[in-house]
């Protein structure tokens, strides 16, 4: 018997409670006030209302149901979240009996989708080069290095695929981003997704994990919200004649600070963190959450905010604005000018 999307959503809400899911992810649920609501030990701005089965994450301006929460924590769209949560449901879910939480969430009995990253299509790599260099203003040297080190490739649909290894036996993380540019507006497509069953805990990183799964030795690490922001920071370093290959880079792929914790526990040698999240309220909240995480972990290194200059913008906005201003000024005068950006 087939079931519509509405039936599946209802079953997910009925059988997978938000507190149970959060505990399966390692969070600690505790009571909040005297009206039966719940919060998290790690995030006291998070409130769950069991009567409505909705969460409210005040510091991040988020609210919703289990599907919304899964999508946020795992950086995936609604349909991907729905597929993943549906895989957690036991057989014959649509019958009235409710299974135990452990039967729903325990990995040993959960049927999950296979990890199947898109295959490389070298013939389409030119579209990735064009997108990153022409549309995103990433330095060609940076793009070539990323390709050579197998951090980026093109798939059969001309998407930019960016991938990084996990530590030990952890699976890689693979994200996809469209390279199409609207012919009328000149703006890039907003298509973006992460391959299911990848390493969502670590998200995307550069120079953090060796090919054999062991940690690299990296003393300085940049943290940004998106992979293209990391590439932009690398470009600013290159423009300032700094060796961008000597830094580590972590893309949260959202504002959630969890990936920072995942990587730092493998890197006791790291001495300096540059928090480069976006110049907006979400970025500010993410930086604050990262600092709170580091404080809880008694991290003793330096933490430096590297906030983009563009209001409500990110490092790629800064890079494109800078490259545009350089091109305009060079059209008037070929004199050498300051490179700006990251020092």
């Amino acid at each position: 018997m087939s079931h519509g999307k509405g039936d599946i959503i209802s079953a997910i809400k009925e059988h997978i409670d938000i507190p149970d899911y959060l505990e399966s992810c390692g969070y600690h649920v505790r009571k909040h006030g005297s009206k039966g609501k719940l919060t998290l030990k790690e995030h006291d701005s998070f409130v769950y209302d069991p009567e409505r089965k909705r969460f409210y994450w005040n510091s991040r301006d988020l609210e919703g149901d289990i599907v919304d929460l899964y999508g946020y924590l795992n950086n995936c769209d609604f349909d991907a979240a729905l597929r993943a949560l549906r895989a957690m449901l036991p057989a014959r879910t649509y019958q009235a009996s409710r299974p135990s939480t452990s039967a729903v969430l325990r990995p040993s009995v959960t049927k999950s989708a296979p990890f199947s990253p898109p295959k490389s299509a070298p013939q389409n790599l030119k579209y990735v080069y064009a997108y990153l260099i022409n549309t995103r203003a990433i330095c060609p040297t940076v793009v070539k290095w990323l390709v050579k080190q197998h951090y980026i490739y093109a798939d059969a649909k001309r998407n930019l695929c960016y991938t990084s290894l996990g530590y030990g036996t952890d699976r890689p993380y693979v994200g996809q981003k469209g390279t199409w540019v609207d012919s009328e507006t000149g703006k890039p497509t907003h298509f973006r997704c992460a391959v299911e069953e990848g390493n969502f805990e670590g998200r995307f990183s550069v120079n953090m994990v060796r090919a054999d799964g062991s940690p690299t030795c990296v003393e300085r690490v940049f943290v940004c919200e998106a992979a293209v922001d990391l590439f932009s920071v690398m470009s600013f370093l290159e423009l300032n004649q700094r060796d961008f290959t000597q830094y580590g880079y972590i893309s949260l792929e959202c504002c959630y600070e969890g990936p920072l914790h995942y990587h730092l526990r493998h890197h006791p040698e790291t001495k300096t963190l540059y928090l480069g999240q976006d110049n907006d309220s979400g970025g500010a909240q993410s930086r604050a959450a990262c600092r709170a995480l580091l404080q809880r972990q008694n991290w003793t290194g330096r933490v430096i905010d590297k906030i983009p200059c563009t209001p409500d913008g990110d490092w790629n906005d800064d890079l494109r604005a800078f490259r545009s201003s350089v091109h305009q000024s060079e059209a008037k005068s070929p004199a050498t000018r300051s490179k700006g950006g990251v020092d």
Side-chain angles (χ1 to χ4, degrees):
M1 177 180 179
S2 62
H3 297 274
K5 183 177 289 188
D7 293 331
I8 296 169
I9 294 173
S10 297
I12 287 170
K13 292 180 180 180
E14 173 65 22
H15 291 274
I16 304 179
D17 284 337
I18 285 179
D20 295 335
Y21 172 69
L22 288 169
E23 287 185 340
S24 77
C25 294
Y27 292 101
H28 298 85
V29 177
R30 61 186 184 184
K31 293 182 179 179
H32 178 76
S34 58
K35 296 183 178 180
K37 294 183 180 179
L38 303 173
T39 186
L40 298 175
K41 177 182 177 182
E42 294 82 1
H43 302 285
D44 57 10
S45 68
F46 180 96
V47 178
Y48 174 66
D49 184 341
E51 289 188 6
R52 301 185 63 196
K53 294 192 174 183
R54 291 185 69 82
F55 75 92
Y56 305 86
W57 205 329
N58 299 315
S59 67
R60 304 183 184 188
D61 195 26
L62 294 170
E63 68 171 277
D65 56 24
I66 179 63
V67 184
D68 299 311
L69 181 62
Y70 185 96
Y72 174 72
L73 293 180
N74 295 282
N75 187 39
C76 60
D77 60 23
F78 181 85
D79 288 336
L82 205 61
R83 288 194 298 271
L85 289 167
R86 184 181 185 180
M88 295 181 184
L89 296 173
R92 305 178 68 82
T93 291
Y94 301 102
Q95 292 190 2
S97 61
R98 176 186 173 91
S100 67
T101 298
S102 60
V104 176
L105 294 173
R106 188 171 298 155
S108 61
V109 296
T110 296
K111 182 180 180 181
S112 61
F115 177 61
S116 182
K119 294 181 179 180
S120 174
Q123 70 276 15
N124 289 334
L125 196 56
K126 60 184 178 182
Y127 299 103
V128 168
Y129 272 94
Y131 170 74
L132 290 176
I133 295 172
N134 299 335
T135 305
R136 292 295 188 174
I138 307 300
C139 285
T141 303
V142 172
V143 179
K144 292 176 182 178
W145 183 83
L146 290 166
V147 171
K148 184 177 180 180
Q149 299 299 318
H150 307 293
Y151 285 112
I152 62 175
Y153 65 94
D155 66 13
K157 296 183 178 180
R158 303 181 183 179
N159 293 314
L160 161 66
C161 298
Y162 49 101
T163 180
S164 55
L165 297 174
Y167 301 99
T169 59
D170 290 352
R171 285 176 171 174
Y173 175 86
V174 182
Q176 293 173 277
K177 191 170 182 62
T179 60
W180 296 97
V181 177
D182 189 289
S183 59
E184 295 183 359
T185 65
K187 295 182 178 180
T189 177
H190 290 288
F191 170 73
R192 177 184 170 193
C193 73
V195 176
E196 291 185 51
E197 298 301 317
N199 183 15
F200 289 106
E201 187 179 5
R203 304 298 206 277
F204 178 67
S205 68
V206 174
N207 273 356
M208 302 299 290
V209 189
R210 299 181 189 276
D212 63 359
S214 64
T216 59
C217 182
V218 57
E219 294 188 354
R220 295 169 295 177
V221 176
F222 279 94
V223 179
C224 292
E225 291 184 28
V228 73
D229 294 328
L230 299 185
F231 305 158
S232 301
V233 169
M234 294 178 195
S235 297
F236 270 125
L237 290 168
E238 172 71 8
L239 290 168
N240 281 281
Q241 299 180 346
R242 304 286 293 274
D243 187 355
F244 66 88
T245 68
Q246 297 304 302
Y247 295 79
Y249 305 87
I250 300 171
S251 172
L252 303 177
E253 296 293 287
C254 58
C255 294
Y256 176 52
E257 71 278 6
L260 175 61
H261 173 61
Y262 171 82
H263 287 285
L264 281 188
R265 67 175 183 254
H266 295 280
H267 288 274
E269 80 287 354
T270 299
K271 297 179 179 178
T272 305
L273 280 175
Y274 301 100
L275 301 182
Q277 291 96 320
D278 296 358
N279 185 7
D280 57 17
S281 60
Q285 292 166 4
S286 180
R287 282 186 290 274
C290 285
R291 287 180 178 274
L293 167 68
L294 296 170
Q295 186 175 15
R296 291 194 302 271
Q297 299 298 322
N298 296 316
W299 197 74
T300 57
R302 289 195 309 161
V303 184
I304 301 173
D305 287 340
K306 281 292 184 180
I307 304 173
C309 297
T310 306
D312 294 321
D314 54 35
W315 276 107
N316 191 244
D317 292 323
D318 276 14
L319 180 63
R320 285 184 289 167
F322 171 72
R323 298 296 287 267
S324 177
S325 67
V326 168
H327 292 156
Q328 291 176 8
S329 61
E330 285 181 346
K332 298 177 180 178
S333 171
T336 303
R337 292 169 180 82
S338 170
K339 300 293 193 300
V342 178
D343 291 323

